[in-house]
Amino acid sequence: MKIIVILKQVPDSETKIKVKGDGSGIETDGIKYVISPYDEYAVEEALKLKEKAGGDSTVTVVSAGPDRTVESIRTALAMGADAAVHVNDPALEGADSLGVARALAKAIQDNGFDIIFAGKQGIDQDNSQVPSAVAELLDIPQVNIIAKFEITEDKSKATVSRRIEGGEETIETSLPALFGCEKGLNEPRYASLPGIMKAKKKPVKTVDLAGLGLDAGEVGAAGSHVKILKWIPLPERQAGKILQGMETAEASKELVRLLREEAKVI
Amino acid sequence: MTIPIEMFNEEHELFRAQCRRFIESELAPNADAWETAKDFPDEVFRKVGAAGFFGIRVPEQYGGAGGDHLMASVWIEECSRAGSGGVVAGINMHGLIILPALAQLANEEQKQRFLVPGVRGEKIGALGLTEPGVGSDLFNCASIAKRDGDDWVLNGAKMFITNGCRADFVLVLCKTRPEDGHGGFSTLIVEKGMKGFDQGKRLEKLGWHASDTAELVFDNVRVPSANLMGQEGQGFYNAMANLEWERLMMALGSIAASQLVWDRTMEYVQTRQAFGRPIGRFQVNRHKMVDMATGIEAARQLNYHCLRLLLAGRPCLKEVSMAKIFACEVTDSVATTCLQLHGGYGYMKEYKVERFFRDARLNTIGGGTTEIMKEIIGKLIGL
C-alpha cells in the first residue's frame, strides 16, 4: 500500500507568539517549530497501517514549507516513515489553504497513493481546510476528525468513527480516501535512536511549484483568494476594579450595575 | 580552519526532543508522588524500555540502539527534567551502567538471559561494589566466593546499592582468589531468589527519596559457574574500566540539573518583589546569579572537554576526576545559593529547589568522593 501522510510544521504550542510591530506577521526569531500535534496522530496511524498491511507498503510524508520544514520531516522519518516529498517554494509564503492544497495534491498524485492521513487541522492557523481540499482535488472521499480507524482485510474499505454530540458516528468508506486524525486516535510513538540514525539516509525529494508543473501565479500567494490584511495581538488584560468602602448590599448593587452597563455581560 | 563549536548535531537534537517528551510526559508528572511514596513502580522500567531509552549504548543485535557516549549524554542531560534524582539514579544505573557492562563483558548465553530482557526493562539490574566497610578502597573488598564443584559459594555484603531491593540480578564484585591481589577478583551475577541472598530493605536517605537503595547480604549463596561474568580474575580491572564514564555521567547530570534550577531561580528573582523591586535587581543577588552562571558554564565546558577525550578514546582519568570535583562542587553551591535566593519558600517542599538541595548533596559523595578524586589526581600529577 502507498500510504501518504500530510504533515505541517508549526510553532510549538509552548512558544510565546509575538505579532510584528507593523502587523505583517509574527516574529519568527526564537520560535521552536514542531510537527503539528494532530499530524503526529496521522504519522502514527500511517505507521500502524504499514505494519498491519505488511508486504511492500510504504509511508511517504508530504509537506509544504520553507527549509526548516525538513527538521519535522526528519522526525517523521525517524518515527518510521520511509520517504518524503518536500514542496519548498517561496511563492507558497502567503498562499491560502486552497493554494497549499493544490501543491500538496499534485505532489501526492505524482507520488501515487492508496490512502492518505492528515491531522484534522494545523494548530497554528486552525483553518481545517487543507485536508478536505486535497481530497476534493484528488476526487476521493474524505472523513475528517476520526477517532477510530479500521481497515478491511482486502484493504478496499475502511470503517472509521467520529465523535459527535452525545455519541459516536461510524462511517464506512471505499478506498482510496483521506482521513483527518483527531486526538485519541492513537498514542504517537517515540522516534527510536536507531530510527533517528537511519532517518538521515532516507530519501527526501524536494520540489518547487514549477517542478510540480504548477503556476506560482495561480497556486502561490499571488493567486491567493484569501489575503491576511493584518495581524493584531490580543489586547492586554485590563486591571480589575475593586469595590471598596461599601456595605455588602450596596456593593452588590453596584457590581450588578457595572456588569450590566460597563462590562455588558448581563 | 573552522573549529566546530557545537558537539551535538541535528540527530542529537532530534533525540533530545524525544527524550524530553518522554521524561516530561512519563516521569516528571509522577515525581512528587514517587518522592512522597519513597518508591517508584517497576512499571517505569518497562516504559523506559518500551520507548527504547535503555538501549542507547547496547548493540542493535540485542535490541539496543548502538549509540555512543554522546547520545547517552543527551539522555543524561534531559533526565534532569524528571524532577527526582532518585528515579533518574535507578533508571540510569540500569540503562547506562549495568546494560553496557553486560554488552561488554557477558557471554552470549548471559546476554540472552540478562541483556535482552534488560533492554526491554523486564529485568532490572544493580551493581554491587561498595560494602559496609569498603568504599573507594575496593581492593579491601570482603565479599568472597569459593569454588565448590560447579558453583561459587558467595559470602559478604554490599552497601548503598541502587535498585538493590527490586533488582532481578546484581553484578557482584568479590574475591575469588584473595591470594592473587588485584588479579584475584571476579564478577558474579547473583539473581533474585537465590538461596541465602537477602535483598534487605530500603535505606532511609537525606535525598534521592524515590530511589531504592539497599544493603544486600550474601550468606553461602550458591552461584552457578554459568553466572561468572567476564574472565575469572578480571573483576577488579573490569570494575575500574568504566569508572571514568560513570563519573562523567555524574558530572554531566549534576550540571544539567544545576542549569535547570538556575533557570527557575532566574524566573523567581525576576518576579519576587522586595522593597519595591524584583530581588534579582539587588546587586548582591545579581552577583550571586552571575557567579552561579559562570560556575555552571565553566563546569559544562570541562565536562564537554572530557566527553571529547572519551569519544576520541584518549585517556582522561585526570580530566574526568577534575570534572567530577568541579561539577559536583559547583552543583552543591548552586543548590545552597538557589535555596537561599528563594528565602522561606526555598525551604518549603512546594518549591522544587528544596528537593534539589537534598538530592544534589549526593554528588560530591557518590561515585567516589571529592576527596578521593583529589587523591587520584594527586597520584597522576606525581605528588
Side-chain angles (χ1 to χ4, degrees), chain B residues 18-70:
Chain B
Q18 301 299 312
C19 296
R20 188 169 298 188
R21 183 180 136 212
F22 178 82
I23 289 160
E24 288 185 344
S25 58
E26 301 289 343
L27 304 183
N30 302 306
D32 289 354
W34 294 338
E35 283 284 311
T36 307
K38 297 193 175 175
D39 191 14
F40 65 100
D42 287 0
E43 186 55 30
V44 175
F45 285 84
R46 324 275 186 254
K47 276 191 177 169
V48 177
F53 295 113
F54 276 144
I56 300 175
R57 294 204 50 236
V58 175
E60 286 197 53
Q61 69 203 93
Y62 301 107
D68 60 8
H69 289 104
L70 201 49

Side-chain angles (χ1 to χ4, degrees), chain A residues 22-65:
Chain A
D22 63 1
S24 66
I26 59 168
E27 297 278 2
T28 51
D29 278 0
I31 287 187
K32 198 183 135 212
Y33 290 94
V34 296
I35 299 176
S36 181
Y38 295 113
D39 298 353
E40 286 189 333
Y41 301 122
V43 174
E44 177 62 31
E45 205 57 31
L47 295 174
K48 275 167 69 181
L49 176 57
K50 179 192 160 173
E51 284 158 8
K52 197 175 165 215
D56 53 358
S57 294
T58 55
V59 173
T60 303
V61 173
V62 180
S63 186

Side-chain angles (χ1 to χ4, degrees), chain B residues 138-175:
Chain B
L138 269 185
F139 181 71
N140 297 320
C141 157
S143 295
I144 293 184
K146 288 206 173 95
R147 194 80 201 214
D148 184 34
D150 263 354
D151 298 337
W152 294 94
V153 178
L154 175 66
N155 280 287
K158 293 289 173 183
M159 194 55 154
F160 310 139
I161 304 308
T162 300
N163 295 339
C165 292
R166 71 168 103 228
D168 295 298
F169 65 94
V170 186
L171 309 182
V172 177
L173 180 72
C174 58
K175 285 185 179 162

Side-chain angles (χ1 to χ4, degrees), chain A residues 1-5 58-60 62 85 104-116 138 176 205:
Chain A
M1 274 193 109
K2 280 191 166 181
I3 307 163
I4 302 286
V5 177
T58 55
V59 173
T60 303
V62 180
V85 180
L104 291 170
K106 188 65 185 3
I108 291 167
Q109 199 153 41
D110 289 354
N111 184 81
F113 63 95
D114 293 311
I115 189 166
I116 303 171
L138 294 172
K205 190 175 141 195

